[in-house]
Amino acid sequence: MQSLEIIIDTLNIFLWDYFLVIVLCGVGIYYTIRLRFIQVLRFKQGVLLLLRGISLSGEKAGKAGMSSFQAIATAVAGQVGTGNLAGPATAIIAGGPGAIFWMWISSLLGMSTIYAEAILAQKYKSTDSNGQVVGGPAYYIEQGLKKKWLAVIFAILNILALGLVGNMVQSNSIANAFHNSFGVSTWVVGICIAILVSLVVVGGLHYIAALNEKLIPIMASLYITGAIITLIVNYQYVSQAFYLIFFAAFSPQAAFGGAIGISIQQAARFGIARGLFSNEAGMGSTPHAHAVAKVKNPEDQGLIAMMGVFTVCLIVTLTGLVIITTGLSSLNKEGLPLSELLSFIGEKGTGITVTQNAYEQTFGYWGNIFISVSLLFFAFSTIIGWYYYAETNVRYLCSSVRWLRCLKILVILCVFGASLFNVDLVWNMADAFNGLMVIPNIIALLILSPIVIEYTRKHVYRS
């Protein structure tokens, strides 16, 4: 077991600290240039398309697919998970406040990448033997690249990374948060999660789409409201927080008086890595949802897909600002110098506990409750979104109803079982599978880029 842990840790360091940061950023830069900064020039159009489609009770999803808004809601459901609450904290502790700036950069580049994924997903979507519209990287890898074996590898990695292993850590996060906040046994929470998940996944695409179109807008609105209230309470530190984010991104030593051992490279490395992991651009997950959107023009779904990355970036930014401003407030109250900021934040814990402590400082006990409830919605929506992605890939490998039933049973068992034990190794394995899943998707994005570029120039930038 120890040998396995060493192998997984080494693989994750290579993938997420170096290889994927370079590759995903490189693809984002390539598409940004070749698509003429579409995330900037067509940002307003994407916002208008998103707002136009917002509905808490849209048309019923079925074999023919789902509405454009249901598709983006399902995509965001997968993107907005525990990483959006814990990611900024770990990035700040490891890379300083400047890491938030580099998370913005990764989001900016990721918007062009996810646009390309949505276009390809729409172009190469298909219908399985049961009449269900399906699509995603496995389909555009096979049809576009003519590489069936590579598509099969992607599908298997996706099922393992998201549907099974990934959903275990999401469930475990919920169970631990509620145990810490309310004292409820983790196995009791696990049973509740398993029951809720079973009610949704057994209902199929209709229930998944219906849940996400209602849950995501409410969930995001409540969390954003709570974050804004916290920033209003700490308003006198907001400008200083922004100053630290920009200054520390390029000169972390000067920002803290040379008292910390963080370099620009570290700020960029941790910020970009956490940003890419949060918005999932280029990872090959969200195209499964965008493929089944019922839209007249594929470019419309591509522009809407960019708004998913922007939404995630907004949530990550607010979380980061809350952590930094509450940290600055605490330093001021205790008379500590600015150089102690990162040490002070780090002493509060790592990941989600830092975020919980930040909100608890403002709202007291209710701040802890707020994050626990937010985590419930964030992680549960991710479980549902990731299950749908895994189901799509099971349909790709074998559309037999028997295998789909097996997947549903395995997912329900995994989300319950994960509540019973510590899943550090499982979480690391999910990171590794996620990282490996990126590789076949990136190969397809690069080789099929002429299709995306030509289509965009003809339909998006038409005069």
Side-chain angles (χ1 to χ4, degrees):
M1 182 64 71
Q2 187 175 3
S3 298
L4 177 61
E5 291 179 356
I6 294 173
I7 293 172
I8 294 297
D9 288 342
T10 303
L11 180 59
N12 279 333
I13 290 172
F14 169 74
L15 288 173
W16 287 107
D17 288 356
Y18 301 100
F19 179 74
L20 292 180
V21 171
I22 296 172
V23 170
L24 288 172
C25 283
V27 172
I29 292 171
Y30 172 76
Y31 269 112
T32 295
I33 294 173
R34 295 304 303 274
L35 297 178
R36 305 176 187 175
F37 288 84
I38 191 169
Q39 64 269 58
V40 177
L41 298 181
R42 290 295 182 268
F43 180 82
K44 179 180 178 181
Q45 186 177 346
V47 172
L48 294 176
L49 286 170
L50 177 63
L51 294 177
R52 193 181 305 158
I54 289 180
S55 172
L56 297 183
S57 184
E59 60 182 291
K60 183 177 180 179
K63 290 187 175 181
M66 60 180 76
S67 70
S68 179
F69 181 71
Q70 289 170 338
I72 184 64
T74 301
V76 173
Q79 291 169 292
V80 179
T82 56
N84 296 103
L85 298 182
T90 57
I92 291 170
I93 293 172
I100 300 297
F101 173 84
W102 295 107
M103 293 181 85
W104 295 341
I105 297 299
S106 70
S107 296
L108 178 66
L109 298 176
M111 289 173 74
S112 66
T113 305
I114 211 164
Y115 167 86
E117 289 181 295
I119 292 291
L120 291 175
Q122 278 283 318
K123 177 176 176 58
Y124 291 103
K125 65 182 177 181
S126 183
T127 304
D128 67 12
S129 59
N130 297 314
Q132 175 73 55
V133 174
V134 287
Y139 293 88
Y140 58 69
I141 289 172
E142 179 182 350
Q143 298 176 34
L145 299 186
K146 309 299 181 184
K147 302 291 184 184
K148 174 79 173 180
W149 62 272
L150 190 61
V152 170
I153 290 175
F154 173 88
I156 294 173
L157 288 171
N158 182 278
I159 294 168
L160 292 172
L162 304 185
L164 302 180
V165 181
N167 277 338
M168 290 181 70
V169 295
Q170 299 293 333
S171 173
N172 183 264
S173 297
I174 299 173
N176 286 329
F178 270 71
H179 175 70
N180 294 333
S181 296
F182 303 102
V184 182
S185 297
T186 56
W187 68 267
V188 174
V189 180
I191 290 177
C192 294
I193 298 170
I195 292 173
L196 291 174
V197 170
S198 65
L199 291 174
V200 178
V201 302
V202 170
L205 182 61
H206 164 58
Y207 285 91
I208 293 172
L211 173 70
N212 285 331
E213 74 176 342
K214 296 176 178 62
L215 180 62
I216 297 304
I218 295 173
M219 175 185 76
S221 298
L222 288 176
Y223 183 77
I224 290 172
T225 300
I228 291 175
I229 292 174
T230 305
L231 294 178
I232 291 175
V233 172
N234 296 310
Y235 72 93
Q236 66 267 44
Y237 302 103
V238 172
S239 60
Q240 188 177 0
F242 274 108
Y243 170 81
L244 285 175
I245 289 173
F246 284 102
F247 195 19
F250 300 98
S251 184
Q253 301 296 329
F256 292 93
I260 61 171
I262 294 176
S263 65
I264 297 176
Q265 187 271 341
Q266 281 180 289
R269 167 186 162 191
F270 288 103
I272 292 174
R274 296 296 182 271
L276 291 171
F277 190 81
S278 296
N279 61 50
E280 298 186 22
M283 289 179 61
S285 53
T286 60
H288 299 95
H290 296 302
V292 298
K294 293 185 285 188
V295 291
K296 293 182 180 179
N297 306 306
E299 67 269 19
D300 288 348
Q301 195 60 31
L303 294 174
I304 290 175
M306 296 193 308
M307 298 303 102
V309 175
F310 178 77
T311 300
V312 171
C313 181
L314 177 61
I315 292 173
V316 164
T317 299
L318 289 173
T319 302
L321 286 173
V322 166
I323 293 170
I324 296 171
T325 55
T326 52
L328 291 172
S329 175
S330 297
L331 290 183
N332 183 60
K333 291 177 181 177
E334 298 185 21
L336 297 174
L338 180 60
S339 58
E340 296 294 320
L341 176 62
L342 298 186
S343 297
F344 182 83
I345 293 175
E347 288 174 359
K348 298 296 182 181
T350 58
I352 192 64
T353 57
V354 171
T355 307
Q356 284 180 312
N357 286 321
Y359 279 89
E360 191 171 4
Q361 181 177 317
T362 301
F363 299 108
Y365 172 73
W366 292 104
N368 197 311
I369 300 298
F370 175 73
I371 292 300
S372 295
V373 173
S374 296
L375 184 65
L376 168 65
F377 285 114
F378 278 44
F380 182 76
S381 69
T382 298
I383 291 173
I384 300 305
W386 283 0
Y387 162 78
Y388 174 69
Y389 301 159
E391 179 186 291
T392 301
N393 284 281
V394 169
R395 289 181 181 276
Y396 171 77
L397 296 172
C398 178
S399 58
S400 170
V401 174
R402 180 179 61 183
W403 287 106
L404 291 175
R405 288 173 180 168
C406 288
L407 174 67
K408 292 175 182 180
I409 293 172
L410 283 174
V411 169
I412 292 169
L413 290 175
C414 282
V415 296
F416 167 68
S419 66
L420 302 177
F421 53 86
N422 187 297
V423 291
D424 286 344
L425 176 59
V426 180
W427 184 227
N428 289 334
M429 290 175 64
D431 286 347
F433 285 134
N434 268 314
L436 293 173
M437 182 178 73
V438 173
I439 297 174
N441 185 55
I442 286 296
I443 292 173
L445 286 176
L446 288 172
I447 296 177
L448 299 176
S449 61
I451 295 174
V452 178
I453 294 166
E454 181 181 4
Y455 188 90
T456 303
R457 290 178 177 175
K458 284 184 178 180
H459 299 279
V460 179
Y461 288 117
R462 62 186 181 273
S463 56

